[in-house]
Amino acid sequence: MRGFFDLQINGYVGVDFNSANLNIDDLHRACLHLQQDGVDGILLTLITDAIPSLQSKIRRIVEMCRQDAVIQKMVRGLHIEGPFLSPVTGYIGAHPAVHAQKTDLAGMDLLLEAGEGLIKLVTLAPEMDQNQQLTRSLADAGIIVAAGHTNASLDELQAGIDAGLTMFTHLANGCPREMDRHDNIINRVLSLADQLWISFIADGAHIPFFVLGNYLKITGLEKVVIVTDAIAAAGMNPGLYTIGGCEVYVGEDGVPRAPGGTNFVGSGTKLLRMATNLRDELLLTQAQVDLITKENPRKLMKTAIDSVLN
């Protein structure tokens, strides 16, 4: 029986995948814990950073995959979330705004070269991609392009879709708490749900369960994917953790936040727990849960991940 597949995971059981000091032993340990928690594969996610720093991180992870069979089996690809995101407060979320930038074809080429084919998914803001050049280039190369951390207009979203954009990353997050009540990024994306895959974080904190239920009634389940957006705090006790160079505090509720603030910084919830949430809180059937935590991620990535998933 197939296990879970997580398209967005930044860390696990105390291991920060975005750390410049990530080592093979720690990543191996995290992959073993993922296996134990019923996960068959992940897209290891790297968030916004300077291009040279991202290059270095990507090269290191590629080499770890080459050297360690456990890591190679679990890490089916990389999800590069940034740096081509909106720098506007609220939309940038927990990403370092100082490194957010307009799309850079040459810079992306450097990341792709470092990835040696391992980069499978890129999240960007369509309004940061002039004439959707990068979207078109990535899509032509068989890489899944998602919108996220964006305040793209309907026209900009549609232009992205026409250029090869196929997904939206963690809808209802990576946006301000206060927006126009009608014309906002959530409603724009929902209006285009028939053209997009949409991922959601099902921890109950990023989206209250009744709200997630409302969204799923609109989108249906056929093109929905549940992601954890987990950081190093997943599977750990309350305390202080990191994602990249940023400190994150996890309280008794298990929700990672910026110290002294209310902003969420990734999730501390395992996919196994999110599957339980979907059954217990949204009353989905087991078949429906399996569809959006196991089958749909594989369907979405079918063009980007090799036949080992089949």
Side-chain angles (χ1 to χ4, degrees), residues 94-139:
H95 291 244
V98 67
H99 295 307
Q101 64 175 84
K102 291 188 178 294
T103 54
D104 173 5
L105 292 174
M108 191 70 233
D109 282 344
L110 293 174
L111 300 184
L112 292 172
E113 181 181 3
E116 298 183 21
L118 200 62
I119 294 174
K120 307 298 183 182
L121 170 60
V122 173
T123 292
L124 54 76
E127 70 270 32
M128 302 295 282
D129 187 16
Q130 185 175 14
N131 298 321
Q132 306 304 315
Q133 288 181 314
L134 182 57
T135 296
R136 188 172 292 104
S137 175
L138 291 170

mmCIF file of all heavy atoms in Angstrom, residues 94-139:
data_model
loop_
_atom_site.group_PDB
_atom_site.id
_atom_site.type_symbol
_atom_site.label_atom_id
_atom_site.label_comp_id
_atom_site.label_asym_id
_atom_site.label_seq_id
_atom_site.Cartn_x
_atom_site.Cartn_y
_atom_site.Cartn_z
ATOM 1 N N ALA A 94 6.644 34.263 6.309
ATOM 2 C CA ALA A 94 7.832 34.111 7.153
ATOM 3 C C ALA A 94 9.125 34.126 6.351
ATOM 4 O O ALA A 94 10.209 34.004 6.923
ATOM 5 C CB ALA A 94 7.733 32.813 7.946
ATOM 6 N N HIS A 95 9.037 34.275 5.038
ATOM 7 C CA HIS A 95 10.241 34.317 4.210
ATOM 8 C C HIS A 95 10.996 35.630 4.438
ATOM 9 O O HIS A 95 10.373 36.676 4.667
ATOM 10 C CB HIS A 95 9.882 34.187 2.728
ATOM 11 C CG HIS A 95 9.375 32.842 2.343
ATOM 12 N ND1 HIS A 95 10.040 32.018 1.457
ATOM 13 C CD2 HIS A 95 8.268 32.155 2.723
ATOM 14 C CE1 HIS A 95 9.363 30.899 1.308
ATOM 15 N NE2 HIS A 95 8.286 30.955 2.068
ATOM 16 N N PRO A 96 12.320 35.613 4.359
ATOM 17 C CA PRO A 96 13.087 36.850 4.523
ATOM 18 C C PRO A 96 12.870 37.790 3.337
ATOM 19 O O PRO A 96 13.345 37.516 2.221
ATOM 20 C CB PRO A 96 14.538 36.367 4.606
ATOM 21 C CG PRO A 96 14.539 35.030 3.941
ATOM 22 C CD PRO A 96 13.187 34.429 4.192
ATOM 23 N N ALA A 97 12.179 38.895 3.594
ATOM 24 C CA ALA A 97 11.818 39.819 2.513
ATOM 25 C C ALA A 97 13.041 40.406 1.828
ATOM 26 O O ALA A 97 12.981 40.768 0.648
ATOM 27 C CB ALA A 97 10.928 40.932 3.058
ATOM 28 N N VAL A 98 14.152 40.485 2.556
ATOM 29 C CA VAL A 98 15.358 41.083 1.987
ATOM 30 C C VAL A 98 15.856 40.308 0.770
ATOM 31 O O VAL A 98 16.526 40.864 -0.107
ATOM 32 C CB VAL A 98 16.466 41.188 3.061
ATOM 33 C CG1 VAL A 98 16.948 39.805 3.497
ATOM 34 C CG2 VAL A 98 17.638 42.025 2.579
ATOM 35 N N HIS A 99 15.509 39.020 0.695
ATOM 36 C CA HIS A 99 15.962 38.196 -0.428
ATOM 37 C C HIS A 99 14.884 37.976 -1.497
ATOM 38 O O HIS A 99 15.164 37.327 -2.513
ATOM 39 C CB HIS A 99 16.460 36.839 0.072
ATOM 40 C CG HIS A 99 17.679 36.920 0.922
ATOM 41 N ND1 HIS A 99 18.819 37.575 0.518
ATOM 42 C CD2 HIS A 99 17.937 36.434 2.169
ATOM 43 C CE1 HIS A 99 19.737 37.489 1.465
ATOM 44 N NE2 HIS A 99 19.232 36.812 2.470
ATOM 45 N N ALA A 100 13.676 38.502 -1.265
ATOM 46 C CA ALA A 100 12.633 38.385 -2.290
ATOM 47 C C ALA A 100 13.013 39.250 -3.486
ATOM 48 O O ALA A 100 13.511 40.367 -3.323
ATOM 49 C CB ALA A 100 11.289 38.813 -1.723
ATOM 50 N N GLN A 101 12.777 38.742 -4.682
ATOM 51 C CA GLN A 101 13.184 39.466 -5.872
ATOM 52 C C GLN A 101 12.319 39.103 -7.061
ATOM 53 O O GLN A 101 11.607 38.092 -7.050
ATOM 54 C CB GLN A 101 14.645 39.159 -6.203
ATOM 55 C CG GLN A 101 14.895 37.689 -6.570
ATOM 56 C CD GLN A 101 16.324 37.429 -7.000
ATOM 57 O OE1 GLN A 101 17.203 37.219 -6.185
ATOM 58 N NE2 GLN A 101 16.533 37.433 -8.307
ATOM 59 N N LYS A 102 12.387 39.953 -8.092
ATOM 60 C CA LYS A 102 11.724 39.621 -9.352
ATOM 61 C C LYS A 102 12.429 38.420 -9.977
ATOM 62 O O LYS A 102 13.585 38.127 -9.669
ATOM 63 C CB LYS A 102 11.749 40.814 -10.302
ATOM 64 C CG LYS A 102 10.863 41.970 -9.852
ATOM 65 C CD LYS A 102 10.782 43.042 -10.912
ATOM 66 C CE LYS A 102 9.857 44.171 -10.458
ATOM 67 N NZ LYS A 102 8.457 43.711 -10.337
ATOM 68 N N THR A 103 11.712 37.711 -10.836
ATOM 69 C CA THR A 103 12.290 36.516 -11.431
ATOM 70 C C THR A 103 13.556 36.844 -12.209
ATOM 71 O O THR A 103 13.689 37.900 -12.816
ATOM 72 C CB THR A 103 11.286 35.821 -12.358
ATOM 73 O OG1 THR A 103 10.799 36.755 -13.326
ATOM 74 C CG2 THR A 103 10.122 35.250 -11.565
ATOM 75 N N ASP A 104 14.465 35.907 -12.172
ATOM 76 C CA ASP A 104 15.797 36.066 -12.766
ATOM 77 C C ASP A 104 16.128 34.759 -13.485
ATOM 78 O O ASP A 104 16.428 33.748 -12.835
ATOM 79 C CB ASP A 104 16.791 36.367 -11.644
ATOM 80 C CG ASP A 104 18.242 36.385 -12.098
ATOM 81 O OD1 ASP A 104 18.488 36.260 -13.312
ATOM 82 O OD2 ASP A 104 19.133 36.513 -11.233
ATOM 83 N N LEU A 105 16.026 34.760 -14.807
ATOM 84 C CA LEU A 105 16.252 33.533 -15.578
ATOM 85 C C LEU A 105 17.656 32.990 -15.358
ATOM 86 O O LEU A 105 17.843 31.776 -15.196
ATOM 87 C CB LEU A 105 16.006 33.795 -17.057
ATOM 88 C CG LEU A 105 14.567 34.080 -17.474
ATOM 89 C CD1 LEU A 105 14.495 34.463 -18.944
ATOM 90 C CD2 LEU A 105 13.678 32.888 -17.185
ATOM 91 N N ALA A 106 18.641 33.868 -15.322
ATOM 92 C CA ALA A 106 20.021 33.421 -15.120
ATOM 93 C C ALA A 106 20.196 32.838 -13.722
ATOM 94 O O ALA A 106 20.869 31.815 -13.544
ATOM 95 C CB ALA A 106 20.991 34.579 -15.343
ATOM 96 N N GLY A 107 19.597 33.498 -12.734
ATOM 97 C CA GLY A 107 19.680 32.984 -11.375
ATOM 98 C C GLY A 107 19.011 31.623 -11.245
ATOM 99 O O GLY A 107 19.527 30.714 -10.581
ATOM 100 N N MET A 108 17.836 31.463 -11.886
ATOM 101 C CA MET A 108 17.151 30.170 -11.845
ATOM 102 C C MET A 108 17.966 29.101 -12.553
ATOM 103 O O MET A 108 18.015 27.945 -12.105
ATOM 104 C CB MET A 108 15.771 30.288 -12.502
ATOM 105 C CG MET A 108 14.883 29.064 -12.276
ATOM 106 S SD MET A 108 14.307 28.878 -10.571
ATOM 107 C CE MET A 108 14.820 27.196 -10.202
ATOM 108 N N ASP A 109 18.630 29.455 -13.623
ATOM 109 C CA ASP A 109 19.489 28.497 -14.321
ATOM 110 C C ASP A 109 20.598 27.981 -13.398
ATOM 111 O O ASP A 109 20.958 26.801 -13.456
ATOM 112 C CB ASP A 109 20.106 29.136 -15.566
ATOM 113 C CG ASP A 109 19.123 29.222 -16.725
ATOM 114 O OD1 ASP A 109 18.086 28.531 -16.679
ATOM 115 O OD2 ASP A 109 19.402 29.983 -17.673
ATOM 116 N N LEU A 110 21.135 28.867 -12.560
ATOM 117 C CA LEU A 110 22.165 28.442 -11.607
ATOM 118 C C LEU A 110 21.610 27.431 -10.613
ATOM 119 O O LEU A 110 22.281 26.452 -10.264
ATOM 120 C CB LEU A 110 22.728 29.656 -10.860
ATOM 121 C CG LEU A 110 23.541 30.655 -11.690
ATOM 122 C CD1 LEU A 110 23.898 31.875 -10.849
ATOM 123 C CD2 LEU A 110 24.811 29.996 -12.234
ATOM 124 N N LEU A 111 20.377 27.657 -10.168
ATOM 125 C CA LEU A 111 19.759 26.717 -9.234
ATOM 126 C C LEU A 111 19.462 25.379 -9.916
ATOM 127 O O LEU A 111 19.683 24.309 -9.332
ATOM 128 C CB LEU A 111 18.472 27.315 -8.668
ATOM 129 C CG LEU A 111 18.604 28.636 -7.901
ATOM 130 C CD1 LEU A 111 17.250 29.049 -7.316
ATOM 131 C CD2 LEU A 111 19.656 28.548 -6.818
ATOM 132 N N LEU A 112 18.982 25.441 -11.147
ATOM 133 C CA LEU A 112 18.697 24.203 -11.881
ATOM 134 C C LEU A 112 19.969 23.414 -12.136
ATOM 135 O O LEU A 112 19.981 22.174 -12.034
ATOM 136 C CB LEU A 112 18.002 24.533 -13.198
ATOM 137 C CG LEU A 112 16.585 25.108 -13.092
ATOM 138 C CD1 LEU A 112 16.094 25.564 -14.468
ATOM 139 C CD2 LEU A 112 15.631 24.090 -12.484
ATOM 140 N N GLU A 113 21.039 24.115 -12.463
ATOM 141 C CA GLU A 113 22.321 23.444 -12.676
ATOM 142 C C GLU A 113 22.783 22.756 -11.396
ATOM 143 O O GLU A 113 23.235 21.607 -11.424
ATOM 144 C CB GLU A 113 23.363 24.449 -13.145
ATOM 145 C CG GLU A 113 24.736 23.829 -13.428
ATOM 146 C CD GLU A 113 25.756 24.863 -13.864
ATOM 147 O OE1 GLU A 113 25.418 26.076 -13.903
ATOM 148 O OE2 GLU A 113 26.890 24.476 -14.172
ATOM 149 N N ALA A 114 22.639 23.443 -10.274
ATOM 150 C CA ALA A 114 23.028 22.853 -8.989
ATOM 151 C C ALA A 114 22.166 21.651 -8.655
ATOM 152 O O ALA A 114 22.627 20.684 -8.042
ATOM 153 C CB ALA A 114 22.923 23.904 -7.877
ATOM 154 N N GLY A 115 20.892 21.700 -9.074
ATOM 155 C CA GLY A 115 19.955 20.631 -8.737
ATOM 156 C C GLY A 115 20.119 19.354 -9.530
ATOM 157 O O GLY A 115 19.607 18.301 -9.127
ATOM 158 N N GLU A 116 20.802 19.402 -10.655
ATOM 159 C CA GLU A 116 21.065 18.207 -11.463
ATOM 160 C C GLU A 116 19.798 17.384 -11.700
ATOM 161 O O GLU A 116 19.799 16.155 -11.624
ATOM 162 C CB GLU A 116 22.140 17.344 -10.806
ATOM 163 C CG GLU A 116 23.487 18.045 -10.671
ATOM 164 C CD GLU A 116 24.575 17.151 -10.084
ATOM 165 O OE1 GLU A 116 24.418 15.910 -10.149
ATOM 166 O OE2 GLU A 116 25.555 17.692 -9.554
ATOM 167 N N GLY A 117 18.704 18.071 -11.983
ATOM 168 C CA GLY A 117 17.450 17.386 -12.282
ATOM 169 C C GLY A 117 16.573 17.114 -11.078
ATOM 170 O O GLY A 117 15.461 16.580 -11.227
ATOM 171 N N LEU A 118 17.023 17.479 -9.885
ATOM 172 C CA LEU A 118 16.259 17.165 -8.679
ATOM 173 C C LEU A 118 15.161 18.189 -8.398
ATOM 174 O O LEU A 118 14.234 17.903 -7.654
ATOM 175 C CB LEU A 118 17.205 17.060 -7.475
ATOM 176 C CG LEU A 118 16.681 16.282 -6.260
ATOM 177 C CD1 LEU A 118 16.394 14.829 -6.621
ATOM 178 C CD2 LEU A 118 17.658 16.365 -5.096
ATOM 179 N N ILE A 119 15.236 19.382 -8.969
ATOM 180 C CA ILE A 119 14.207 20.392 -8.731
ATOM 181 C C ILE A 119 12.959 20.015 -9.535
ATOM 182 O O ILE A 119 12.983 19.933 -10.759
ATOM 183 C CB ILE A 119 14.701 21.794 -9.122
ATOM 184 C CG1 ILE A 119 15.846 22.224 -8.203
ATOM 185 C CG2 ILE A 119 13.551 22.808 -9.049
ATOM 186 C CD1 ILE A 119 16.503 23.541 -8.600
ATOM 187 N N LYS A 120 11.866 19.777 -8.806
ATOM 188 C CA LYS A 120 10.629 19.326 -9.429
ATOM 189 C C LYS A 120 9.501 20.347 -9.353
ATOM 190 O O LYS A 120 8.556 20.287 -10.132
ATOM 191 C CB LYS A 120 10.150 18.038 -8.752
ATOM 192 C CG LYS A 120 11.170 16.920 -8.670
ATOM 193 C CD LYS A 120 11.613 16.447 -10.042
ATOM 194 C CE LYS A 120 12.593 15.273 -9.936
ATOM 195 N NZ LYS A 120 13.069 14.831 -11.257
ATOM 196 N N LEU A 121 9.587 21.272 -8.398
ATOM 197 C CA LEU A 121 8.506 22.224 -8.166
ATOM 198 C C LEU A 121 9.092 23.565 -7.754
ATOM 199 O O LEU A 121 10.001 23.612 -6.913
ATOM 200 C CB LEU A 121 7.582 21.685 -7.066
ATOM 201 C CG LEU A 121 6.499 22.584 -6.474
ATOM 202 C CD1 LEU A 121 5.512 23.041 -7.538
ATOM 203 C CD2 LEU A 121 5.765 21.855 -5.357
ATOM 204 N N VAL A 122 8.602 24.636 -8.345
ATOM 205 C CA VAL A 122 9.023 25.994 -8.000
ATOM 206 C C VAL A 122 7.780 26.818 -7.701
ATOM 207 O O VAL A 122 6.842 26.863 -8.507
ATOM 208 C CB VAL A 122 9.825 26.652 -9.137
ATOM 209 C CG1 VAL A 122 10.105 28.127 -8.810
ATOM 210 C CG2 VAL A 122 11.133 25.906 -9.386
ATOM 211 N N THR A 123 7.758 27.458 -6.519
ATOM 212 C CA THR A 123 6.678 28.380 -6.170
ATOM 213 C C THR A 123 7.165 29.804 -6.385
ATOM 214 O O THR A 123 8.242 30.176 -5.901
ATOM 215 C CB THR A 123 6.241 28.191 -4.704
ATOM 216 O OG1 THR A 123 5.606 26.914 -4.555
ATOM 217 C CG2 THR A 123 5.257 29.281 -4.290
ATOM 218 N N LEU A 124 6.372 30.591 -7.090
ATOM 219 C CA LEU A 124 6.708 31.992 -7.360
ATOM 220 C C LEU A 124 5.442 32.832 -7.357
ATOM 221 O O LEU A 124 4.319 32.316 -7.367
ATOM 222 C CB LEU A 124 7.465 32.124 -8.689
ATOM 223 C CG LEU A 124 6.844 31.519 -9.959
ATOM 224 C CD1 LEU A 124 5.693 32.371 -10.492
ATOM 225 C CD2 LEU A 124 7.897 31.363 -11.041
ATOM 226 N N ALA A 125 5.627 34.144 -7.332
ATOM 227 C CA ALA A 125 4.513 35.087 -7.429
ATOM 228 C C ALA A 125 4.395 35.554 -8.875
ATOM 229 O O ALA A 125 5.342 36.134 -9.417
ATOM 230 C CB ALA A 125 4.749 36.281 -6.509
ATOM 231 N N PRO A 126 3.274 35.316 -9.536
ATOM 232 C CA PRO A 126 3.146 35.685 -10.950
ATOM 233 C C PRO A 126 3.434 37.158 -11.225
ATOM 234 O O PRO A 126 3.960 37.487 -12.296
ATOM 235 C CB PRO A 126 1.693 35.329 -11.275
ATOM 236 C CG PRO A 126 1.379 34.207 -10.344
ATOM 237 C CD PRO A 126 2.096 34.551 -9.070
ATOM 238 N N GLU A 127 3.110 38.041 -10.291
ATOM 239 C CA GLU A 127 3.358 39.466 -10.515
ATOM 240 C C GLU A 127 4.836 39.809 -10.482
ATOM 241 O O GLU A 127 5.229 40.920 -10.883
ATOM 242 C CB GLU A 127 2.589 40.319 -9.495
ATOM 243 C CG GLU A 127 3.086 40.238 -8.057
ATOM 244 C CD GLU A 127 2.423 39.158 -7.239
ATOM 245 O OE1 GLU A 127 2.062 38.112 -7.840
ATOM 246 O OE2 GLU A 127 2.270 39.338 -6.016
ATOM 247 N N MET A 128 5.667 38.874 -10.008
ATOM 248 C CA MET A 128 7.112 39.085 -9.993
ATOM 249 C C MET A 128 7.780 38.513 -11.242
ATOM 250 O O MET A 128 9.001 38.624 -11.408
ATOM 251 C CB MET A 128 7.728 38.437 -8.748
ATOM 252 C CG MET A 128 7.166 38.952 -7.429
ATOM 253 S SD MET A 128 7.542 40.691 -7.137
ATOM 254 C CE MET A 128 9.255 40.562 -6.608
ATOM 255 N N ASP A 129 6.994 37.899 -12.118
ATOM 256 C CA ASP A 129 7.524 37.219 -13.303
ATOM 257 C C ASP A 129 7.102 37.974 -14.559
ATOM 258 O O ASP A 129 6.021 37.736 -15.107
ATOM 259 C CB ASP A 129 7.018 35.770 -13.332
ATOM 260 C CG ASP A 129 7.655 34.941 -14.427
ATOM 261 O OD1 ASP A 129 8.696 35.374 -14.973
ATOM 262 O OD2 ASP A 129 7.123 33.860 -14.722
ATOM 263 N N GLN A 130 7.959 38.876 -15.014
ATOM 264 C CA GLN A 130 7.634 39.726 -16.162
ATOM 265 C C GLN A 130 7.336 38.892 -17.395
ATOM 266 O O GLN A 130 8.128 38.050 -17.812
ATOM 267 C CB GLN A 130 8.777 40.694 -16.453
ATOM 268 C CG GLN A 130 8.464 41.692 -17.547
ATOM 269 C CD GLN A 130 9.566 42.714 -17.731
ATOM 270 O OE1 GLN A 130 10.664 42.545 -17.225
ATOM 271 N NE2 GLN A 130 9.283 43.778 -18.463
ATOM 272 N N ASN A 131 6.153 39.130 -17.951
ATOM 273 C CA ASN A 131 5.698 38.406 -19.147
ATOM 274 C C ASN A 131 5.683 36.897 -18.942
ATOM 275 O O ASN A 131 5.673 36.130 -19.908
ATOM 276 C CB ASN A 131 6.565 38.766 -20.362
ATOM 277 C CG ASN A 131 6.482 40.235 -20.716
ATOM 278 O OD1 ASN A 131 5.413 40.834 -20.649
ATOM 279 N ND2 ASN A 131 7.609 40.824 -21.081
ATOM 280 N N GLN A 132 5.698 36.465 -17.686
ATOM 281 C CA GLN A 132 5.645 35.042 -17.324
ATOM 282 C C GLN A 132 6.777 34.238 -17.985
ATOM 283 O O GLN A 132 6.627 33.060 -18.307
ATOM 284 C CB GLN A 132 4.279 34.444 -17.702
ATOM 285 C CG GLN A 132 3.100 35.199 -17.129
ATOM 286 C CD GLN A 132 3.150 35.328 -15.610
ATOM 287 O OE1 GLN A 132 3.437 34.368 -14.913
ATOM 288 N NE2 GLN A 132 2.880 36.522 -15.096
ATOM 289 N N GLN A 133 7.922 34.899 -18.148
ATOM 290 C CA GLN A 133 9.048 34.249 -18.828
ATOM 291 C C GLN A 133 9.576 33.041 -18.063
ATOM 292 O O GLN A 133 9.851 31.995 -18.657
ATOM 293 C CB GLN A 133 10.171 35.260 -19.047
ATOM 294 C CG GLN A 133 9.892 36.306 -20.098
ATOM 295 C CD GLN A 133 11.068 37.259 -20.281
ATOM 296 O OE1 GLN A 133 11.643 37.752 -19.313
ATOM 297 N NE2 GLN A 133 11.439 37.505 -21.514
ATOM 298 N N LEU A 134 9.741 33.181 -16.750
ATOM 299 C CA LEU A 134 10.276 32.069 -15.977
ATOM 300 C C LEU A 134 9.263 30.937 -15.879
ATOM 301 O O LEU A 134 9.619 29.760 -15.989
ATOM 302 C CB LEU A 134 10.695 32.534 -14.578
ATOM 303 C CG LEU A 134 11.324 31.434 -13.707
ATOM 304 C CD1 LEU A 134 12.547 30.824 -14.387
ATOM 305 C CD2 LEU A 134 11.704 31.982 -12.333
ATOM 306 N N THR A 135 7.996 31.296 -15.690
ATOM 307 C CA THR A 135 6.948 30.270 -15.643
ATOM 308 C C THR A 135 6.976 29.422 -16.906
ATOM 309 O O THR A 135 6.959 28.187 -16.861
ATOM 310 C CB THR A 135 5.564 30.928 -15.483
ATOM 311 O OG1 THR A 135 5.512 31.605 -14.226
ATOM 312 C CG2 THR A 135 4.448 29.889 -15.551
ATOM 313 N N ARG A 136 7.042 30.080 -18.038
ATOM 314 C CA ARG A 136 7.045 29.372 -19.327
ATOM 315 C C ARG A 136 8.298 28.507 -19.469
ATOM 316 O O ARG A 136 8.220 27.353 -19.908
ATOM 317 C CB ARG A 136 6.952 30.393 -20.466
ATOM 318 C CG ARG A 136 6.744 29.776 -21.839
ATOM 319 C CD ARG A 136 6.463 30.843 -22.873
ATOM 320 N NE ARG A 136 5.165 31.484 -22.659
ATOM 321 C CZ ARG A 136 4.980 32.693 -22.132
ATOM 322 N NH1 ARG A 136 6.033 33.422 -21.774
ATOM 323 N NH2 ARG A 136 3.774 33.182 -21.976
ATOM 324 N N SER A 137 9.434 29.048 -19.079
ATOM 325 C CA SER A 137 10.694 28.306 -19.190
ATOM 326 C C SER A 137 10.692 27.059 -18.312
ATOM 327 O O SER A 137 11.094 25.974 -18.757
ATOM 328 C CB SER A 137 11.856 29.227 -18.801
ATOM 329 O OG SER A 137 13.078 28.519 -18.781
ATOM 330 N N LEU A 138 10.233 27.191 -17.063
ATOM 331 C CA LEU A 138 10.196 26.044 -16.157
ATOM 332 C C LEU A 138 9.191 25.000 -16.635
ATOM 333 O O LEU A 138 9.473 23.799 -16.625
ATOM 334 C CB LEU A 138 9.843 26.509 -14.740
ATOM 335 C CG LEU A 138 10.905 27.340 -14.023
ATOM 336 C CD1 LEU A 138 10.339 27.941 -12.745
ATOM 337 C CD2 LEU A 138 12.142 26.496 -13.704
ATOM 338 N N ALA A 139 8.008 25.460 -17.032
ATOM 339 C CA ALA A 139 6.986 24.525 -17.508
ATOM 340 C C ALA A 139 7.466 23.774 -18.740
ATOM 341 O O ALA A 139 7.242 22.550 -18.867
ATOM 342 C CB ALA A 139 5.686 25.272 -17.799
#
